[in-house]
Amino acid sequence: MSYHTETLVIGGGPAGLTAAYLLSKQGRDVTVLERDSTQVGGISRTVSHNGYLFDIGGHRFFSKSKAVVDLWDELLPDDFIERPRLSRIYYQGKYYAYPLKAFEALRNLGLLTSTACVLSYLYACARPIAAPKHFHGWVRNQFGEKLFSIFFKTYTEKVWGMSCDAISADWAAQRIKGLDLGAAIRDALKRSLGIRAKPKAGEPVIKTLIESFRYPRRGPGMMWEAAAEKIAAHGGRVLLDRGVDGLSFDPAAGLWRVAAVRGDGTRETFTARHVISSAPVRELVDVITPRPISTFQARALQYRDFVTVALIAKSQKNFPDNWIYIHDPSVQVGRVQNFRSWSPEMVPDEAHTCLGLEYFCFEGDGLWTASDADLVALAKREIGQIGLIDPADVVDACVVRQPKAYPVYDETYAENVALVRMELERDFPTLHLVGRNGMHKYNNQDHAMMTAMLTVENIVAGHRRHDVWRVNEDAEYTEAGISGAQAALGSERLVPRKVA
């Protein structure tokens, strides 16, 4: 069967659904194709198992952009709750608040180690590595070698499956933006002394130090299920169980031809004036015909996957953290989610607790291909070793595999993405890349939404009014500063380029 739509959106995650909602709201014809056969949301979906709800990765709803926050409220006006932000680090059998509390860290590390950390930091300040290219060098400059080895190396290498010397400094600069040991110590001293200073007007908020966030009461999937319903109410279509496996452009007709296949093998084709893609760059380029010259660069892009093992236990043992970073190299688990601390409605039985153990892996490796039973056994053993709950108290479990959770920032990613982007923008001005995997940028969902919002502005305007690649990880528009989306959406500072 064949269908026509003005704009076809590949991927029903935050970026794709934001774009589709805003287009449908303006009366534009839009169709979303989502590979998942049962639900929308992508990595921001909420999984349900026997009444227990799991957030895939943990999604804090915080943004500097008023327009993004307003859109959240528009999509989900009555279901947000305010939650305290608490994360801790587990290291050598002890827990450290994150961000650090100075006196607690001193007590846990001991005077000698703490002194060594400060001296190492001072040495790094005196002799910084010039223009560090790798994660190791960047963190060493900001925190010192000693603190890098304690609080960054083990966890980061668990997450990425590679040496910190092979990870681009871009990732550190993006994810730990604005924070160094000096800032951490100043903030930690204020926290330990109970001092809470309000940020000055115009002063940026360090994302790592944010203390509270909003959260949908039954998980982030609520947001994206609501978005899908509103798209349909405006006349748009959200079609599940459609994996795109062909994409070609007819310049004479100005139309895209998109081929999709369902799980049962049924094939469908679509034509569209515009295509918005939040699909992984590597997958998108691989289905374009004729084959782009930058296919080699696209195929070199890597992704990190992860497995969540949710353990449901009959236990009154509770802790307030949203999640705990596991820096202990003796266990494979990288992070533990505490779903009740995200929202009490995630755990329906007050006599039970539900923890999600996250194992970072590559699709096809030993962890990824292990049976559910083996993964549950591993998780029970390691949760007991950490001491959060007794494995004997576990009464149920669920395993969720998430492919392509994180685009990898290796040594060559930036050059590869730049070459792909240059070719696609030159040859296909009506193909729009948005979101985390769609742009191969490790960012949060508010960033993904911002790229979609600006893309919709471009389509409606009929030219590239905004350069979506200028949106950074805090959903700021870099030419507009922290005023965020409202200034960005009204910006005419970029050189227009005709696309329609």
Side-chain angles (χ1 to χ4, degrees), residues 3-273:
Y3 307 89
H4 177 74
T5 185
E6 181 187 9
T7 300
L8 185 137
V9 179
I10 303 174
L17 291 175
T18 295
Y21 171 67
L22 293 176
L23 286 168
S24 67
K25 186 180 172 184
Q26 297 188 53
R28 310 295 284 257
D29 185 38
V30 62
T31 300
V32 179
L33 302 184
E34 166 55 43
R35 177 177 294 174
D36 193 293
S37 62
T38 59
Q39 63 185 135
V40 296
I43 196 173
S44 294
R45 71 191 184 280
T46 300
V47 175
S48 177
H49 174 77
N50 293 336
Y52 290 79
L53 302 175
F54 314 137
D55 185 343
I56 307 301
H59 293 83
R60 291 171 174 149
F61 283 69
F62 170 85
S63 180
K64 294 177 181 179
S65 165
K66 183 178 184 299
V68 169
V69 174
D70 287 346
L71 186 54
W72 283 337
D73 288 335
E74 183 177 327
L75 289 170
L76 205 66
D78 303 314
D79 291 295
F80 275 111
I81 55 176
E82 189 77 16
R83 302 301 293 163
R85 178 194 193 273
L86 179 62
S87 303
R88 284 186 295 173
I89 294 169
Y90 177 83
Y91 173 71
Q92 290 190 343
K94 296 180 180 179
Y95 291 93
Y96 296 78
Y98 184 73
L100 296 174
K101 291 183 178 178
F103 303 143
E104 175 194 69
L106 180 63
R107 181 177 66 251
N108 284 355
L109 287 175
L111 182 59
L112 290 178
T113 301
S114 295
T115 301
C117 288
V118 173
L119 292 176
S120 176
Y121 170 67
L122 294 175
Y123 180 81
C125 291
R127 294 180 176 236
I129 297 171
K133 296 181 179 180
H134 303 123
F135 179 89
H136 182 176
W138 191 96
V139 175
R140 179 261 185 201
N141 278 0
Q142 300 294 110
F143 294 90
E145 186 70 28
K146 184 67 174 176
L147 213 56
F148 162 77
S149 67
I150 294 174
F151 289 124
F152 293 92
K153 185 177 187 298
T154 298
Y155 178 75
T156 302
E157 292 183 352
K158 277 186 184 182
V159 171
W160 296 109
M162 62 179 69
S163 166
C164 289
D165 292 309
I167 301 169
S168 170
D170 291 356
W171 184 72
Q174 177 176 305
R175 301 307 288 185
I176 321 172
K177 180 182 178 182
L179 185 64
D180 59 22
L181 182 58
I185 289 175
R186 290 191 297 272
D187 184 78
L189 285 170
K190 290 177 182 178
R191 289 167 183 270
S192 298
L193 296 172
I195 299 173
R196 294 290 185 272
K198 293 183 178 179
K200 298 177 182 178
E203 183 178 63
V205 178
I206 298 173
K207 178 173 55 184
T208 316
L209 303 181
I210 295 166
E211 292 187 339
S212 67
F213 59 94
R214 301 167 77 214
Y215 190 75
R217 59 185 180 80
R218 291 179 61 81
M222 288 187 76
M223 171 76 68
W224 306 114
E225 295 289 347
E229 291 174 3
K230 290 177 185 292
I231 291 166
H234 289 308
R237 292 166 295 279
V238 179
L239 305 179
L240 301 179
D241 191 28
R242 268 79 169 181
V244 172
D245 64 352
L247 193 62
S248 61
F249 183 67
D250 179 353
L255 289 175
W256 285 95
R257 183 179 176 85
V258 182
V261 61
R262 305 186 66 173
D264 62 4
T266 303
R267 304 194 64 81
E268 297 172 335
T269 59
F270 300 81
T271 56
R273 292 286 176 188

Side-chain angles (χ1 to χ4, degrees), residues 369-391:
T369 59
S371 69
D372 287 4
D374 286 344
L375 289 168
V376 170
L378 172 65
K380 289 170 67 175
R381 182 169 65 252
E382 293 196 340
I383 203 69
Q385 185 174 335
I386 297 168
L388 289 176
I389 56 175
D390 186 339

